[in-house]
Structure formats: structure tokens, C-alpha cells
Amino acid sequence: MTTRQDCSVLDDGDELGALRQAFTLEDGMLYLDGNSLGPVSEGVLRRVRETIEGEWAHGLIRSWNSAGWMAAPTAVGNRLAPLIGAQPGEVLVADTLTFILAKLIGGALELRPDRDVVLTDAANFHSDLYIVEAMAARAGRPIIVKRINRLTLHEELNDNVALVMLTHVDFRTGEMLDLSGITRDVHEVGALMLWDFAHSAGAVPLDVTEANVDFAAGCGYKYLNGGPGAPAFMYVRSSWQGLLQNPFPGWLGHARPFDFESAYVAAEGMQAYVTSSPPVLALAALDGALDVWDRVTMQQVRRKSLALTDLFISLVEELLPGVFEVVTPREHERRGSQVSLRHEFSYEIVQALIERGVIGDFREPDMCRFGFAPLYLRFIDIYDSVQHLVSVMESESYRDQRFAVRNPVT
Ligand SMILES: *Cc1c(COP(=O)(O)O)cnc(C)c1O
């Protein structure tokens, strides 16, 4: 049985241990929700302050030129690119995730005009499902969106399929899919592959170049710690740039926005996928959040992530045998950086834990979800969190009526 002392020894030997100091985390709080909203880091505080006090307050409109505000979407994209294995000039940060998916889906359907099927996972995130159906309905030709069981993807792939859109790490269960294998199978029938990396970027190593991914998008506010409502990132493989059209053209995706021409002419490269003025303050926050990522490799992050999730699973099974169903796969190659536990009273259990300072979240219909962000979590945090879970379960304190009250955000 792993003891708290064992965990303390693991922390002493942790090559990422020093990074925790870069984050603002209250004493006594055990934050297992970095998969939903990452904490603030010193890089964010510094960059946002500089941007407001220097570039905005002092520079005012001159800063569009002098502070590089116009170039921020591509500059932040280039900084983020190595985290997903992309090349410079393949990543843009301008819109939030659902809107990026809309652009990629709309553009991709035009690249396969003789095909009329889009495949996605019935268990996909609801926003992804809504937007794929909305974009299909506006495609200018009849498109069928099939919500499939991803295990049957092979049976569904044929030469009518224009696009396959999957989320790489399942937001409920934490299951990770085979990035290069699935992309290869999709390409074999001539379809295009769009990956959602919302729960992958900053959580697991990704190599879009090696996997030959066509398009991808992922969140800025989850494991990347870019702040509430942070813009997301968009990846378009360089060979598709210029061919993939932006279905939402706006002045800042124009080749010459300040010529105010009446006809749209797309800019070169990723700039073509910009629509509106960049969210400069939010981009500054995300840019600052990337500072800490300069100090690690994704291989180091992955090693610690697996050690943390292994520890959590083994402690839950040792100390609470048979109480929860561990929904997240045990095999490392199928696990993201979260662990989900199924229980009839999951909502109440999560609320009881939050009252004790252990922050996780609940996902319908019956899952307690815990995210493990290796940049700031310690092994003793995992140990202490499981001790709180044991207390909540053994005392049955979760049965108190106040824990059954539903908040709008779960
Ligand atoms: C978090 C998440 C989103 C939400 O994206 P927005 O930036 O709020 O549009 C979409 N899809 C998945 C899979 C997510 O996990």
C-alpha cells in the first residue's frame, strides 16, 4: 500500500516539481479540475499587466503596429505549435473552439464536393455535435451527419465519407483514441480527418505531422491554462492552406484589410482563417500561460501524468474496493490525463469533495471526473484527495441534502 511518505519521496524526485511555484494555488486546495479550467500562472499575470498598462494604456491605437497585436493570432499559434507537433505557420489562435470547428467543417466539406457523409462519435461533446449538424445543414448540398459508435468506425468508412470528426480524448471517460491509426484509415477511403484536441493539448504528446492530420482544434483554457474563455487553437496542415476556404470571411482574413476593398481576397497562410479583430487581452493571457510550457517536454508531462493517474486509480481501488467503477482505461496507450469514476451519487460526492477543498467535477449521467495536470499537482495531492474521498464515502456525508442542489455549472 502506498503511504503519504512514499508520495512525499516521489515529489522530492519529481523533475517537474519546481513548476508548481509558477502557479497561484491556494493552500489546502486540491485542484483536480485543470482539465476544465487551468489555474493562473505568473506568466499570465505578467503578460496581461504589460498588455493593459503598457500596450493599451500607454500605446493605445499605436499598439496595433508597435506591440504586434495584429500578428498575435499567428504568433501565439507558432508558440503553441510544438505542443501538438505542428510546424511554424500551421497554427492560429483567434476564436473559441466551437467556432473553429465550424470553420474547419465548413471548409472541409467544400474540399470533398462529391461526397455527402460526415462521421462523428455519438458520444462526442454536445457542442461538437451541434455545430457539425448546423454546418452540414448549410453546406449547399444534402449532407448526412452520422453519429456512430466509434468502435464501428471501420464499417462506416467508404468513398461517400467526406469528413470524420472525432475527439481524441473522450471528455467523459478519459479514453484516448489512436491518432495515427485512425487518421490513416480515414485517409485510405479518401476522407478528411478533423481531430478535437480539447482534452489532449497539454495533456498528452501529440504529433500531427507524423500522424498526417488534416485539421485539428483544441482548447486554450483547459490544460494550457489560458484563462476562462481563452481562445482556442486551429491547426491546418500546410498542404491544405490556400485550398481550404474560410466559410466566415471577415476583414482581417483579407490579403489587404486596410485597403477596404469591396471584394474578398483571402490572405496567405493561416491568416486567411481569421475573421475579426483578435481578442488581444485573452491572447496575452494565453501567451503568458505558454511560458511554463517552454520549460518542459510533453514526454516529461506524459510520464508524470501516467504516474499520477496510476496512483489515483490504485489508491481508490485499494481503499474503496468495489465502491466505484473506474471508467477510464487502465492501458496507458488508451488513457488521457483524467480519471472518471462511476457511482449512483456522483453529483453529491463531487459536491461533498468540493466543500472539503478537493475540486473535481461531475459529468452526466453518473461520473465523478478528476483531471491530473502534471505541471502543478504533487503526488501527496493525489494521496490527500483520495483520503478525502474515503472520508466522504465512509461517513456517507454526501447524503446530506445540501449536496443534491444542482448548480448551473457542474
Ligand atoms: C471544452 C470543449 C469544448 C468547448 O469549446 P468552446 O471553446 O467553449 O467553444 C468543445 N468541445 C470539446 C470536446 C470540449 O471538451
Side-chain angles (χ1 to χ4, degrees), residues 96-99 124-125 127-128 167 171 196 198-199 219 221-222:
T96 41
L97 181 50
T98 307
F99 196 57
N124 209 338
F125 193 78
S127 201
D128 299 40
T167 296
F171 78 100
D196 184 332
H199 293 274
C219 252
Y221 55 80
K222 292 172 178 159

Side-chain angles (χ1 to χ4, degrees), residues 51-306:
T51 306
I52 293 178
E53 293 176 358
E55 299 171 7
W56 181 13
H58 171 71
L60 275 169
I61 200 159
R62 293 169 292 186
S63 289
W64 283 109
N65 291 315
S66 61
W69 286 353
M70 255 333 158
T74 46
V76 178
N78 284 338
R79 246 192 117 181
L80 202 150
L83 292 175
I84 63 165
Q87 308 303 309
E90 291 185 323
V91 181
L92 181 76
V93 183
D95 305 303
T96 41
L97 181 50
T98 307
F99 196 57
I100 293 173
L101 294 175
K103 289 180 171 180
L104 292 171
I105 295 161
L109 289 174
E110 295 305 304
L111 293 173
R112 289 289 180 272
D114 49 347
R115 296 175 175 227
D116 62 5
V117 173
V118 177
L119 301 178
T120 191
D121 188 348
N124 209 338
F125 193 78
H126 44 338
S127 201
D128 299 40
L129 295 173
Y130 305 154
I131 200 68
V132 71
E133 288 182 351
M135 293 309 291
R138 289 161 179 74
R141 64 184 197 277
I143 299 278
I144 303 153
V145 177
K146 287 181 94 175
R147 298 182 179 193
I148 62 166
N149 175 341
R150 63 189 176 228
L151 297 175
T152 67
L153 178 63
H154 274 107
E155 296 155 33
E156 305 285 346
L157 283 174
N158 57 53
D159 60 11
N160 283 326
V161 178
L163 177 70
V164 178
M165 177 176 97
L166 295 174
T167 296
H168 177 237
V169 173
D170 186 294
F171 78 100
R172 281 192 199 87
T173 65
E175 179 181 359
M176 179 166 73
L177 306 186
D178 174 6
L179 183 69
S180 22
I182 291 177
T183 306
R184 189 181 342 104
D185 294 345
V186 167
H187 285 163
E188 245 160 46
V189 298
L192 298 166
M193 185 70 218
L194 165 55
W195 284 104
D196 184 332
F197 289 146
H199 293 274
S200 314
V204 298
L206 295 165
D207 194 335
V208 290
T209 304
E210 189 264 339
N212 203 20
V213 170
D214 299 297
F215 315 115
C219 252
Y221 55 80
K222 292 172 178 159
Y223 291 94
L224 297 180
N225 315 313
F233 64 86
M234 175 194 223
Y235 167 79
V236 177
R237 201 173 73 208
S238 58
S239 56
W240 284 122
Q241 294 175 28
L243 297 171
L244 182 82
Q245 304 292 305
N246 181 353
F248 298 99
W251 70 306
L252 289 181
H254 195 285
R256 296 168 297 275
F258 284 88
D259 285 3
F260 299 94
E261 292 170 24
S262 55
Y264 185 74
V265 182
E268 304 246 302
M270 291 304 288
Q271 188 68 34
Y273 309 113
V274 176
T275 301
S276 308
S277 300
V280 172
L281 298 182
L283 279 161
L286 180 56
D287 188 38
L290 293 175
D291 286 358
V292 67
W293 292 99
D294 291 342
R295 297 162 59 191
V296 295
T297 66
M298 280 313 297
Q299 282 63 36
Q300 291 174 313
V301 171
R302 179 61 170 165
R303 264 200 302 281
K304 184 170 170 191
S305 159
L306 288 171

Side-chain angles (χ1 to χ4, degrees), residues 44-55:
V44 173
L45 294 171
R46 181 184 54 75
R47 277 290 284 122
V48 170
R49 194 173 299 126
E50 274 171 18
T51 306
I52 293 178
E53 293 176 358
E55 299 171 7

Side-chain angles (χ1 to χ4, degrees), residues 328-347:
T328 305
R330 310 304 165 98
E331 307 94 291
H332 285 175
E333 62 280 6
R334 290 181 56 226
R335 188 193 307 163
S337 199
Q338 73 179 62
V339 177
S340 302
L341 304 177
R342 183 174 278 141
H343 190 284
E344 185 189 352
F345 292 105
S346 282
Y347 184 82

